[in-house]
Amino acid sequence: MSLENPRTHYTSQIDPEKIGDEKVTVCGWVHEVRDLGGICFVVVRDREGKAQITLVKKKIDKEIFDAARKLVRESVVAVTGSAKPEGKAPNGYEIIPEEIVVLNEAESPLPMDTTGKVDAELDTRLDSRFIDLRREKTTAIFKIRHEVLRAVRNFLSDEGFIETSSPKVVATATEGGTSLFPITYFDREAFLNQSPQLFKQILMSGGLDRVFEIGPIFRAEEHDTRRHLNEATSIDIEASFVDHFDVMEILENMIAYVYEQVIENESASLENLGIELEVPKTPFMKVPYSEAIDIVNAKGEEMIEWGGDLGTVAEHTIGEHVFEETGESHYFITDWPTEIKPFYAMPYENDPLISKSFDMMHRTMELSSGAQRVHLHDMLKERIESQGLNPDGFEFYLRAFKYGMPPHSGWGVGCERLVMTMLGVENIRDTVLFPRDRRRLSP
RNA sequence: GUCCGAAUAGUGUAGAGGCCUAUCAUGGAGCCCUGUCGAGGCUCCGACCCGGGUUCGAAUCCCGGUUCGGGCGCCA
């Protein structure tokens, strides 16, 4: 079973150098109709670009000419005709149609403009995401997001990581700290998972050695900023028999590789967005926490005592400092106070006040956090207790540490933040097709 | 959560108590036009977030609500 007018080409696949008078069918949306009287141009748009359909009144059947003039913008059409090289046409070729089939006519007026002539606010765009995606700049972001994820999978697979999936419905809080969304699971209460953290660690006990997961995470925090989502995509790894320095190296190499791949495979999308991407130079600068607070305190705008967390302003101060010194946007903050990191971060043996933990930062925000983990059962149980959590809720997790858990390390990267910082997108919602924030639950 | 700001045709905007029968662009309807590529020209269509108040008079000032945006917080 097939459609009557199967597509033969994306608009981008018609090469003016190679075609002579080739019969093609393109399928897409009516982007624009420019009726000049004796000649009419119809621009058809598909995922990969646009094609000009040219109808000269004197040379073409009256019926098809009149039908073309009356096409409603954003209607879905299949156009069959001959593709000819034409210097005056936008892509170097134009299609002289034999048949224009309207597969589905669009209503009018449209919820927003698709041509780039009139801006729309993010809220308007998200309400009508189906139309927003017809804008080339929006499509470009999601093509790049795809390339980012493809590159991550390639890179990690080549590094010997196995892709895994952990449950999103869980019985108890996995890490404490952040709030969870409660749900009903048959006759019990359950939660949406905030992170694959505990599960990927259990897999280390299982001997999978190196795993990664790309999946949704849920945070019930009532935050309300340009860089937070309540449903986000996390890129997580966990690796056995390695320390935090090893996984930092994997992380910085992965970031550089992702940038390379995007430049190589999505140059058209980058150009569309007006972005000239530079591959971050590795290794990334490592700033120990104690130096980081010195940088902030030296500026004198705020004073952070040792053990305090870094706020947004402090992060920016450090980011600017690193950027001025290195010209690079990416860096690590290492050796955090054990107290302000999760219970699974391994304290240094010779100085247990600090931990083998790190955050990987872009100068505008945090992108990743990771650590060498506590792999010793008794120490882990103690750390859980010392953070005010009840070890009973972690029995499923702690058991995995009793029967041969190797030393291991890992990290998690926020996919949306990676795309956001790469493209200089101002609002994280622009990097998710259907973002979930405190207010938005639909579409 | 908190502070600041905003809300006008489908979309994006102008507007500082009477000049508003509300600006402009885009869009829609129609006419003219043979190489457009943000086509052009002419005609027409389409809006002041909701509820109170002040005033002779409110899009404009005040109060409350709703929604949106930005900073910070929380958080990754």
Side-chain angles (χ1 to χ4, degrees):
Chain A
M1 189 65 190
S2 77
L3 293 171
E4 277 177 40
N5 300 278
R7 171 166 61 208
T8 61
H9 295 76
Y10 278 123
T11 55
S12 61
Q13 290 172 325
I14 299 171
D15 185 345
E17 310 251 311
K18 289 182 188 154
I19 52 168
D21 188 0
E22 198 179 346
K23 189 166 173 181
V24 299
T25 298
V26 294
C27 295
W29 288 259
V30 176
H31 187 68
E32 278 180 316
V33 179
R34 273 194 286 276
D35 177 10
L36 277 68
I39 189 167
C40 179
F41 302 100
V42 176
V43 178
V44 173
R45 186 195 65 245
D46 61 21
R47 192 184 76 190
E48 301 299 324
K50 290 180 293 217
Q52 176 169 287
I53 316 300
T54 304
L55 302 95
V56 177
K57 193 174 187 178
K58 281 184 187 164
K59 293 187 187 168
I60 204 159
D61 189 65
K62 187 175 185 307
E63 219 169 281
I64 191 171
F65 186 82
D66 287 340
R69 292 177 53 200
K70 290 191 179 125
L71 284 171
V72 177
R73 288 169 69 234
E74 294 304 323
S75 298
V76 180
V77 293
V79 179
T80 303
S82 43
K84 292 178 176 167
E86 173 54 69
K88 283 181 273 188
N91 297 330
Y93 75 89
E94 62 189 12
I95 296 171
I96 311 301
E98 287 163 21
E99 190 182 22
I100 299 176
V101 182
V102 178
L103 297 169
N104 211 155
E105 185 163 287
E107 278 187 28
S108 177
L110 297 164
M112 54 179 275
D113 170 62
T114 56
T115 63
K117 286 178 200 164
V118 186
D119 286 339
E121 289 184 4
L122 181 60
D123 203 48
T124 305
R125 292 171 42 219
L126 291 176
D127 281 341
S128 299
R129 198 50 139 166
F130 59 94
I131 285 279
D132 182 44
L133 283 163
R134 300 187 198 178
R135 298 163 72 235
E136 289 172 314
K137 283 182 193 295
T138 305
T139 314
I141 291 173
F142 292 102
K143 283 183 177 173
I144 290 168
R145 181 181 158 122
H146 162 253
E147 182 60 28
V148 165
L149 291 172
R150 199 189 63 76
V152 164
R153 284 199 165 88
N154 273 3
F155 179 86
L156 293 175
S157 301
D158 288 350
E159 290 282 322
F161 286 82
I162 293 173
E163 181 161 5
T164 57
S165 302
S166 65
K168 302 306 150 205
V169 177
V170 297
T172 54
T174 45
E175 298 175 40
T178 194
S179 309
L180 304 182
F181 288 109
I183 59 167
T184 301
Y185 192 71
F186 302 107
D187 55 351
R188 281 185 286 174
E189 184 180 53
F191 300 92
L192 293 176
N193 206 179
Q194 68 182 91
S195 153
Q197 181 62 32
L198 306 191
F199 293 97
K200 62 182 185 170
Q201 286 191 262
I202 292 172
L203 297 179
M204 296 302 97
S205 182
L208 293 188
D209 199 68
R210 286 155 96 87
V211 301
F212 76 100
E213 171 165 346
I214 300 172
I217 56 171
F218 303 89
R219 307 276 164 103
E221 298 292 337
E222 292 191 352
H223 37 49
D224 206 357
T225 77
R226 294 183 304 164
R227 59 187 187 282
H228 290 276
L229 292 164
N230 293 295
E231 178 177 358
T233 308
S234 179
I235 301 165
D236 266 88
I237 74 157
E238 205 65 34
S240 292
F241 307 106
V242 299
D243 67 11
H244 53 310
F245 293 110
D246 295 314
V247 292
M248 276 191 265
E249 193 178 334
I250 291 169
L251 178 53
E252 63 197 4
N253 287 338
M254 184 185 85
I255 297 296
Y257 178 77
V258 166
Y259 271 68
E260 279 166 25
Q261 290 300 111
V262 169
I263 290 167
E264 194 173 318
N265 300 319
E266 284 298 338
S267 56
S269 297
L270 288 171
E271 195 177 323
N272 210 314
L273 294 167
I275 293 170
E276 275 198 46
L277 212 56
E278 275 184 42
V279 180
K281 289 190 187 67
T282 55
F284 297 168
M285 191 179 188
K286 291 187 181 72
V287 183
Y289 168 85
S290 54
E291 282 179 30
I293 58 172
D294 285 347
I295 291 167
V296 176
N297 292 343
K299 205 180 175 201
E301 284 179 2
E302 61 176 317
M303 297 304 284
I304 300 172
E305 296 201 9
W306 196 93
D309 213 341
L310 270 31
T312 312
V313 178
E315 282 181 1
H316 290 170
T317 303
I318 301 159
E320 286 313 305
H321 178 89
V322 171
F323 189 67
E324 278 167 27
E325 287 221 339
T326 64
E328 290 291 314
S329 295
H330 298 264
Y331 64 100
F332 289 104
I333 299 177
T334 62
D335 304 345
W336 290 76
T338 305
E339 192 65 23
I340 56 172
K341 279 289 167 186
F343 58 78
Y344 47 77
M346 178 69 100
Y348 278 95
E349 292 82 358
N350 57 353
D351 187 358
L353 285 179
I354 59 173
S355 58
K356 298 181 177 181
S357 57
F358 59 88
D359 281 3
M360 196 274 284
M361 313 289 296
H362 182 270
R363 69 174 191 275
T364 53
M365 73 187 78
E366 181 183 336
L367 288 185
S368 170
S369 66
Q372 183 179 153
R373 323 298 192 184
V374 177
H375 62 284
L376 306 170
H377 176 273
D378 293 352
M379 183 195 280
L380 187 58
K381 193 173 175 188
E382 230 170 75
R383 296 277 301 119
I384 289 172
E385 282 168 346
S386 78
Q387 299 226 342
L389 297 164
N390 182 182
D392 293 350
F394 293 88
E395 193 47 37
F396 75 101
Y397 168 67
L398 283 167
R399 282 184 69 227
F401 291 74
K402 285 187 186 170
Y403 307 98
M405 172 66 92
H408 59 280
S409 304
W411 44 252
V413 173
C415 169
E416 286 79 17
R417 287 188 172 189
L418 178 57
V419 174
M420 187 183 175
T421 51
M422 174 183 283
L423 303 182
V425 167
E426 289 192 349
N427 195 312
I428 198 165
R429 294 161 181 84
D430 259 317
T431 66
V432 184
L433 286 168
F434 301 103
R436 289 291 173 263
D437 61 36
R438 194 169 146 206
R439 298 196 177 97
R440 184 174 286 278
L441 192 53
S442 173

